Amino acid sequence: MKISQILDKIDEGQLFVPAFQRQYVWRKKDVKALLHSLIHEYPTGTILSWETNNPPELKGSIAYTQSMGAVKLILDGQQRITSLYLIIRGKTPPYYEEKDIKNDVTNLYVNLDTLDLQYFSAKMMESNPLWIDLTDIFQHKIKPYVLVKELGKNGEISDELEDRIHSHYHQIESILSFDFLEQTIPIKANISQAIDIFYIVNASGINLTDAELALAQISGYWPKARHVINEKLYSLQDNGFDFKLDFFIYALLGVIHHSGKNMKKLHSEDNKEIIKEVWGRLDDQVIDYVLNILKSQAYVDHTKEINSVFALIPLIVFAYNHDCKMSEKRIKKAVKWFYYSQLRQRYISNLQNKLDKDIGIIVSSKNPFDELLANIQSERTLEISPDEFTGIGVSHPLFSTMRWYFKSKNAVCLTTGITLGKNMGKKYELENDHLFPWSALRDNGYGRSNKHKYQLAQEITNRSILTSIANKKKSNQPTYDYLSEIKQNYPNALELQSIPDDESLWKLDNYEKFLVERRNLLAAGINHWLDSITDMKSPELGMSIQEIIFEGESSNLEFKSSLKWDYNESKVNTVLERVVLKTIAAFNNTDGGSLFIGVDDDGNILGLNRDY
């Protein structure tokens, strides 16, 4: 089917997208690559369609009626078709609302001399009329002869350039005649079969996750599922908590099946009534309850502060099972575990296995949060050392921990004296800023050319938390002058943000001594704060070797298939011993760890016979 026909059929209400399809997820680089391929007539894949008189719920405002007869649905290729609609029509396709298009991929320009594609850049394009918005070409807002005439007014234009402009213009227009190879699903297929086929052929582009496939199946037997979950997603976004649809599917799986990894349990239509019931409670009460605990007891104002939102899944399962009734002691234990789950990056790898294990503890243990914390401690020490701050930037979970710690102390913005909680108005949103100005450090040897020094300049111990309005006013005044002024205006402000009181450390020559002192203050303060939240029991976990292997590899657990037997070459290779020794050395240089020899990367036990 030609691209022009596809777009016309969408506009005429003859071609639809089913509601179970994922949202639009393509980014600018994907759209640019697609248009480049089309312009140069490179292969761009196929589309999968399904003509049926019993369709699932459709995206958009049109509801199917029997009078419409058989309708045609786009199952695979929706991302490409949506991208083309946005570029060619210059507007959102009718099966989406504007809020559904998270990534603005319009304003893609082409150079009619070189056929180079770039997103709009004023510096590059404003002085060069050969850069044209692709949408303007497809909407006939620019004609090649008019462009040639305008170029001629500004000087000589060669015949070769004029020919290229006309040729390239028509080459771009010819995209509308490009014929996508179309594969079709048999009309006799039911919704579940169509979704299965859709998943099988979804091997190119951005593959579906297990949770997205589960949501597609849920939408097949509960047509309103994606709509009602999206409504919750949007309402939480308005309050600073930004999730993806995957998150809610994990919540459903955890509550209904006490699992964190077997998404196929949600595929069956047998789940329909229980999913509707569970979602009703999650939507109406449980999710809000958990988030309000985080806001009121853990000082979490938005998801930007959270390293992994999947730590909320065990909390949601627990709250659901206990009808949103948690004692003060239980809440403190939950909060303490949550902090360490972020700090020690519990879910940064091997998500499904770890969730599965943690949800199992939540539903079976008498002291679940004590046991969950003990699991983290079995992998890595809970205590923060001052050295952990060395060279780390604001994306590290230690920075969020530091910010929560400041909030717990009722710390204030250094310039305005306003507390660091979630304040009203954009001017009072929280930002971070260098205590020692970046420009001053850069000019004194801490620039990007010296990687180690640059990391020290960006280290979180050189950051303070300010309101937006204070950050804009701060400018680049010397640290000594800035902190002296703060000390005079707000005497406790420096202590509340763990900033050394020794004024000699505020001088640029003593910058690295300042960092050492603040690392010590932060490590001691945060450790004491976390430890004092509540007492936690330390149960004997008694994990078997099989259970440890089941956890999967992490920063403190690594698998090697052998010590020196090369499975690829089927012979002894002593070079492999060096790899093992490097791993041991790496563990010794950090927080320790466990190395299993005779286990492959997927956790399959191979044994040691080959090595012996």
Side-chain angles (χ1 to χ4, degrees):
M1 193 173 359
K2 289 183 170 58
I3 289 175
S4 60
Q5 293 175 315
I6 293 172
L7 303 187
D8 287 343
K9 287 180 180 295
I10 290 172
D11 288 336
E12 294 164 5
Q14 298 179 32
L15 190 59
F16 302 94
V17 174
F20 66 70
Q21 277 268 28
R22 65 159 22 140
Q23 302 299 89
Y24 182 69
V25 297
W26 269 27
R27 299 185 180 276
K28 288 182 176 181
K29 64 180 180 62
D30 304 308
V31 177
K32 182 179 171 183
L34 172 64
L35 269 297
H36 180 271
S37 296
L38 288 169
I39 288 172
H40 294 280
E41 299 182 350
Y42 297 160
T44 55
T46 62
I47 61 172
L48 177 69
S49 64
W50 179 33
E51 193 166 349
T52 175
N53 53 15
N54 185 29
E57 185 182 13
L58 307 176
K59 278 188 186 292
S61 58
I62 296 179
Y64 176 79
T65 62
Q66 289 295 326
S67 63
M68 295 167 68
V71 293
K72 198 166 196 176
L73 310 180
I74 304 166
L75 291 192
D76 189 50
Q78 182 258 128
Q79 301 290 325
R80 278 171 291 159
I81 290 169
T82 300
S83 300
L84 289 170
Y85 195 101
L86 288 164
I87 294 294
I88 294 172
R89 294 290 196 254
K91 60 182 180 180
T92 303
Y95 48 84
Y96 277 130
E97 296 181 36
E98 284 191 25
K99 66 181 180 180
D100 296 323
I101 306 296
K102 300 292 185 183
N103 307 314
D104 182 7
V105 298
T106 57
N107 291 317
L108 181 58
Y109 279 63
V110 63
N111 187 306
L112 285 178
D113 179 21
T114 63
L115 277 185
D116 185 26
L117 290 172
Q118 297 291 342
Y119 275 92
F120 180 74
S121 166
K123 184 177 180 180
M124 179 190 300
M125 299 172 184
E126 283 186 346
S127 61
N128 187 348
L130 287 168
W131 283 103
I132 304 296
D133 190 333
L134 276 175
T135 303
D136 286 346
I137 292 177
F138 290 117
Q139 293 298 307
H140 307 295
K141 293 181 180 179
I142 184 73
K143 297 290 186 180
Y145 67 85
V146 174
L147 176 61
V148 168
K149 186 176 180 180
E150 289 297 317
L151 289 171
K153 290 180 181 178
N154 297 324
E156 289 288 328
I157 176 170
S158 67
D159 292 341
E160 291 82 2
L161 176 56
E162 184 176 347
D163 289 342
R164 282 197 301 275
I165 291 172
H166 282 279
S167 175
H168 290 164
Y169 184 93
H170 293 300
Q171 193 171 336
I172 293 165
E173 273 197 322
S174 67
I175 287 175
L176 294 170
S177 300
F178 181 86
D179 206 349
F180 273 125
L181 180 62
E182 184 180 4
Q183 296 175 305
T184 58
I185 291 178
I187 193 169
K188 62 183 180 181
N190 60 36
I191 293 172
S192 180
Q193 290 169 333
I195 293 172
D196 284 339
I197 296 170
F198 158 59
Y199 181 64
I200 291 169
V201 302
N202 192 262
S204 59
I206 304 172
N207 292 335
L208 290 172
T209 64
D210 289 345
E212 285 174 319
L213 175 60
L215 178 56
Q217 290 286 6
I218 292 167
S219 299
Y221 58 77
W222 180 26
K224 295 291 184 184
R226 186 178 288 270
H227 172 74
V228 298
I229 295 175
N230 264 326
E231 287 299 307
K232 185 65 176 178
L233 182 148
Y234 294 138
S235 70
L236 292 175
Q237 282 178 351
D238 292 339
N239 288 284
F241 289 91
D242 194 358
F243 299 98
K244 294 183 179 178
L245 290 174
D246 278 26
F247 173 82
F248 300 103
I249 304 306
Y250 275 102
L252 286 168
L253 181 67
V255 170
I256 296 170
H257 294 291
H258 298 166
S259 173
K261 67 176 185 177
N262 193 352
M263 285 290 173
K264 288 187 177 179
K265 288 184 175 181
L266 295 174
H267 287 201
S268 169
E269 190 170 353
D270 295 341
N271 290 286
K272 181 177 180 179
E273 295 308 317
I274 186 66
I275 279 185
K276 292 168 72 173
E277 178 187 339
V278 167
W279 177 254
R281 282 188 61 199
L282 288 175
D283 182 13
D284 185 56
Q285 183 183 20
V286 179
I287 293 173
D288 291 348
Y289 176 76
V290 170
L291 293 179
N292 276 308
I293 285 177
L294 290 182
K295 286 172 70 72
S296 63
Q297 304 295 318
Y299 311 101
V300 178
D301 292 323
H302 45 71
T303 43
K304 291 178 182 177
E305 296 179 318
I306 301 177
N307 170 250
S308 173
V309 297
F310 290 101
L312 275 61
I313 300 299
L315 297 176
I316 287 171
V317 174
F318 185 87
Y320 187 96
N321 289 346
H322 290 78
D323 200 26
C324 294
K325 295 175 182 176
M326 294 171 63
S327 67
E328 181 181 355
K329 182 77 170 176
R330 190 56 69 69
I331 287 174
K332 286 183 176 180
K333 288 190 174 191
V335 168
K336 186 170 182 175
W337 169 78
F338 169 78
Y339 282 145
Y340 280 111
S341 77
Q342 301 304 298
L343 181 60
R344 293 312 185 205
Q345 303 184 70
R346 170 67 176 163
Y347 300 110
I348 201 68
S349 63
N350 204 18
L351 169 66
Q352 292 189 341
N353 283 339
K354 290 180 178 178
L355 261 186
D356 198 61
K357 180 171 184 176
D358 291 352
I359 291 170
I361 291 170
I362 283 289
V363 299
S364 63
S365 174
K366 292 182 179 179
N367 297 296
F369 297 109
D370 302 72
E371 195 168 332
L372 290 176
L373 186 62
N375 270 334
I376 295 174
Q377 191 170 18
S378 71
E379 297 178 355
R380 189 173 175 186
T381 179
L382 299 182
E383 185 175 3
I384 301 166
S385 71
D387 289 343
E388 288 185 55
F389 290 92
T390 304
I392 65 167
V394 294
S395 61
H396 193 279
L398 256 177
F399 183 68
S400 288
T401 306
M402 185 174 93
R403 184 160 46 187
W404 293 327
Y405 170 54
F406 292 163
K407 291 179 188 178
S408 77
K409 297 169 68 178
N410 288 318
V412 298
C413 167
L414 300 183
T415 304
T416 64
I418 293 174
T419 57
L420 298 182
K422 188 171 178 61
N423 299 305
M424 293 175 58
K426 288 190 175 182
K427 290 184 178 180
Y428 295 94
E429 290 180 353
L430 297 186
E431 298 181 358
N432 66 82
D433 189 54
H434 296 81
L435 288 165
F436 284 76
W438 158 235
S439 57
L441 291 169
R442 181 193 60 211
D443 295 342
N444 282 271
Y446 289 85
R448 288 184 173 85
S449 59
N450 186 323
K451 183 179 179 181
H452 173 68
K453 293 276 191 180
Y454 177 72
Q455 287 177 327
L456 293 181
Q458 305 304 323
E459 187 174 304
I460 63 173
T461 47
N462 185 33
R463 303 280 181 157
S464 65
I465 310 298
L466 303 175
T467 56
S468 177
I469 190 171
N471 197 8
K472 288 178 171 61
K473 290 180 178 180
K474 177 178 174 292
S475 70
N476 289 330
Q477 67 183 115
T479 304
Y480 187 90
D481 297 345
Y482 173 63
L483 295 183
S484 297
E485 185 179 316
I486 300 304
K487 188 174 182 180
Q488 182 177 355
N489 293 335
Y490 306 104
N492 296 325
L494 299 184
E495 180 188 352
L496 291 173
Q497 290 208 34
S498 301
I499 295 171
D501 191 55
D502 183 351
E503 296 182 10
S504 68
L505 297 178
W506 302 349
K507 296 179 180 179
L508 190 57
D509 290 345
N510 291 328
Y511 174 63
E512 293 191 29
K513 292 180 181 178
F514 172 91
L515 295 183
V516 170
E517 179 62 20
R518 197 170 187 223
R519 289 171 197 152
N520 290 329
L521 289 172
L522 283 166
I526 294 174
N527 282 326
H528 176 73
W529 166 61
L530 290 174
D531 186 58
S532 64
I533 291 173
T534 186
D535 294 329
M536 305 281 269
K537 296 179 181 179
S538 297
E540 291 293 331
L541 296 179
M543 291 178 68
S544 67
I545 287 177
Q546 286 81 2
E547 286 178 315
I548 296 172
I549 292 173
F550 180 76
E551 285 280 292
E553 290 187 300
S554 66
S555 58
N556 302 92
L557 178 63
E558 188 149 346
F559 304 147
K560 299 294 181 189
S561 296
S562 66
L563 176 65
K564 57 185 177 181
W565 178 261
D566 192 324
Y567 277 90
N568 291 325
E569 301 291 336
S570 294
K571 64 179 183 180
V572 170
N573 181 356
T574 55
V575 172
L576 297 178
E577 291 177 307
R578 301 178 191 173
V579 179
V580 171
L581 289 172
K582 284 182 178 179
T583 300
I584 294 170
F587 283 156
N588 285 335
N589 282 322
T590 52
D591 296 303
S594 299
L595 172 67
F596 283 75
I597 298 174
V599 181
D600 69 16
D601 291 342
D602 295 323
N604 299 309
I605 298 174
L606 305 178
L608 300 175
N609 288 343
R610 295 287 190 177
D611 279 317
Y612 281 119

